[in-house]
Amino acid sequence: MKMLLKRYKYFLVLLVINIVVYCLYPTVGQKSAEITWSNTVEMLSVIPPIFILLGLLDVWVQRETMIKLMGEKSGILGILIAFFLGSAAAGPLYAAFPIAGVLLQKGSKFSNVLIFIGAWSTTKIPMLLFEASSMGWKFMMTRFVIDIPGIMLIAYITAKILNEKEKQYIYDQAGNVA
Amino acid sequence: MFTILMYIAAFGFLVLSFIKDKKKTYMALKKAWKSFENILPQFLAILVIIGIMLAVLSPEVISGLIGEKSGWLGMLMASLVGSVTLIPGFVAFPLASALLKNGAGFMQIAVFISTLMMVGIVTIPLEIKYFGRKAALLRNSLAFAFSFIVAIAIGVVLR
């Protein structure tokens, strides 16, 4: 029970804040409760398949296979898979982190996992279609074309700046949280 | 629509997995639940923060912040709003297109959308949990800077 309270302390503190806001500014508090609720419902509807796929990936895909596909020596194939995995997904960015954790744990190259995160954040296919319909094709295509090298650049610079020890720590950590 | 496809994919693979190996399938489901339960506290916290934030930063307030201001100050404002807020794309794009009609520039909108998608101040604690402090901060700062490059490109193409 005490463990549970400790794990959920931030959530509980925020909940209390929301209640205080509700008492002081009822309209804002009510609106925020409504938004939280609808987001929770949305999250609960989007997330189950993501985590089921994550579980299946973990059990069925061997570490060796993953290293071959997305590991240190995977080259262009690893980059393409990273882009594809990220772009084919649906769901908010924060749902991508646990998957990134499994990818790391299975021996994917660090920059490839960052490319996966980048693709998930900006080049998701359903989002691109929606962007084109509300902002126009020119807007969407310009952003898309420049986002691809941008995502790779961000991934490589981040991977380059981290030293081996820091990277090793992240890989070890991925084994613990995922 | 895409969510349905994800369900079909997940369900299909699950059935396939079950036919091939029951035990492994149970393990996969257990793993799925464990990973989910592991980050549930952060998920819930993020959801409440988003709720409070969107209640305060309503589309009207966001319009006021980045709607009519132009130039670099407007872009900076748009990037800051984009970095801290976490709006799903299905809300963000109609909002962006409405902002455009109300006089916001393409560059401000581009930087807003780009930071909105790539930079997540609210989700940084979660990102740190998986990537460590340094990598998470680096990725977000680089994405922030990159959003301005995107904006300039949009400004050049869509002038």
Side-chain angles (χ1 to χ4, degrees), chain B:
Chain B
M1 180 38 204
F2 233 78
T3 310
I4 296 171
L5 279 177
M6 293 282 278
Y7 269 95
I8 294 171
F11 189 72
F13 281 121
L14 201 63
V15 169
L16 205 71
S17 166
F18 191 78
I19 293 168
K20 277 191 110 174
D21 191 331
K22 271 186 199 169
K23 220 174 130 200
K24 267 191 165 178
T25 310
Y26 284 128
M27 261 169 68
L29 285 176
K30 223 173 121 188
K31 170 86 186 177
W33 172 252
K34 247 185 75 190
S35 317
F36 175 68
E37 209 270 335
N38 189 17
I39 52 163
L40 190 61
Q42 274 92 345
F43 268 12
L44 289 174
I46 289 170
L47 287 167
V48 179
I49 296 178
I50 298 173
I52 296 174
M53 197 156 2
L54 286 188
V56 179
L57 283 172
S58 60
E60 297 79 50
V61 176
I62 293 178
S63 305
L65 284 174
I66 59 175
E68 277 139 48
K69 279 201 200 81
S70 55
W72 290 99
L73 190 71
M75 273 173 76
L76 192 67
M77 192 61 112
S79 68
L80 293 178
V81 176
S83 299
V84 291
T85 44
L86 224 169
I87 313 174
F90 297 100
V91 179
F93 287 121
L95 171 65
S97 117
L99 285 174
L100 270 179
K101 286 191 191 95
N102 290 321
F106 268 111
M107 287 171 85
Q108 284 95 300
I109 295 305
V111 88
F112 172 63
I113 286 181
S114 201
T115 48
L116 194 62
M117 294 181 140
M118 294 183 111
V119 185
I121 302 280
V122 176
T123 49
I124 262 197
L126 192 64
E127 196 169 343
I128 287 176
K129 198 170 167 191
Y130 287 93
F131 283 97
R133 185 179 299 272
K134 194 170 171 188
L137 291 178
L138 258 173
R139 192 196 71 79
N140 280 283
S141 337
L142 288 168
F144 184 80
F146 173 69
S147 300
F148 285 86
I149 300 175
V150 174
I152 292 166
I154 293 274
V156 171
V157 174
L158 294 171
R159 98 175 38 247

Side-chain angles (χ1 to χ4, degrees), chain A residues 70 77-87 111-113 115-117 119-120:
Chain A
M70 289 180 77
L77 179 72
I79 298 172
L80 286 175
I81 293 176
F83 265 114
F84 175 76
L85 278 181
S87 302
S111 60
N112 283 345
V113 177
I115 288 176
F116 163 77
I117 291 288
W120 188 302

Side-chain angles (χ1 to χ4, degrees), chain A residues 6-173:
Chain A
K6 207 179 153 200
R7 283 193 63 212
Y8 286 87
K9 63 173 184 255
Y10 292 114
F11 169 61
L12 293 171
V13 167
L14 285 163
L15 214 56
V16 170
I17 291 176
N18 203 349
I19 293 168
V20 171
V21 170
Y22 183 79
C23 296
L24 296 174
Y25 310 97
T27 42
V28 176
Q30 199 189 349
K31 207 174 149 207
S32 106
E34 275 165 22
I35 294 168
T36 304
W37 177 246
S38 79
N39 275 336
T40 307
V41 170
E42 203 202 306
M43 181 193 90
L44 289 177
S45 69
V46 172
I47 264 173
I50 296 177
F51 278 83
I52 288 174
L53 289 170
L54 181 154
L56 291 171
L57 177 87
D58 191 52
V59 172
W60 284 105
V61 181
Q62 300 254 308
R63 204 180 135 82
E64 291 71 37
T65 318
M66 207 64 203
I67 289 176
K68 220 194 243 157
L69 290 174
M70 289 180 77
E72 250 356 282
K73 294 195 183 99
S74 59
I76 185 101
L77 179 72
I79 298 172
L80 286 175
I81 293 176
F83 265 114
F84 175 76
L85 278 181
S87 302
L93 182 60
Y94 51 85
F97 297 131
I99 300 184
V102 173
L103 292 179
L104 285 170
Q105 191 198 330
K106 291 267 173 191
S108 301
K109 193 177 175 183
F110 192 66
S111 60
N112 283 345
V113 177
L114 287 170
I115 288 176
F116 163 77
I117 291 288
W120 188 302
S121 71
T122 33
T123 57
K124 281 205 299 272
I125 296 160
M127 218 43 106
L128 289 176
L129 296 176
F130 192 72
E131 178 175 356
S133 72
S134 57
M135 306 296 293
W137 282 92
K138 219 170 162 187
F139 187 94
M140 184 279 261
M141 280 310 286
T142 310
R143 231 170 56 77
F144 180 71
V145 166
I146 195 156
D147 271 340
I148 302 267
I151 287 168
M152 290 176 68
L153 213 63
I154 291 172
Y156 285 122
I157 295 175
T158 308
K160 199 98 210 157
I161 292 179
L162 293 182
N163 60 39
E164 283 312 312
K165 222 175 112 194
E166 286 160 338
K167 267 186 240 173
Q168 194 50 51
Y169 178 77
I170 294 169
Y171 276 101
D172 294 343
Q173 202 59 23

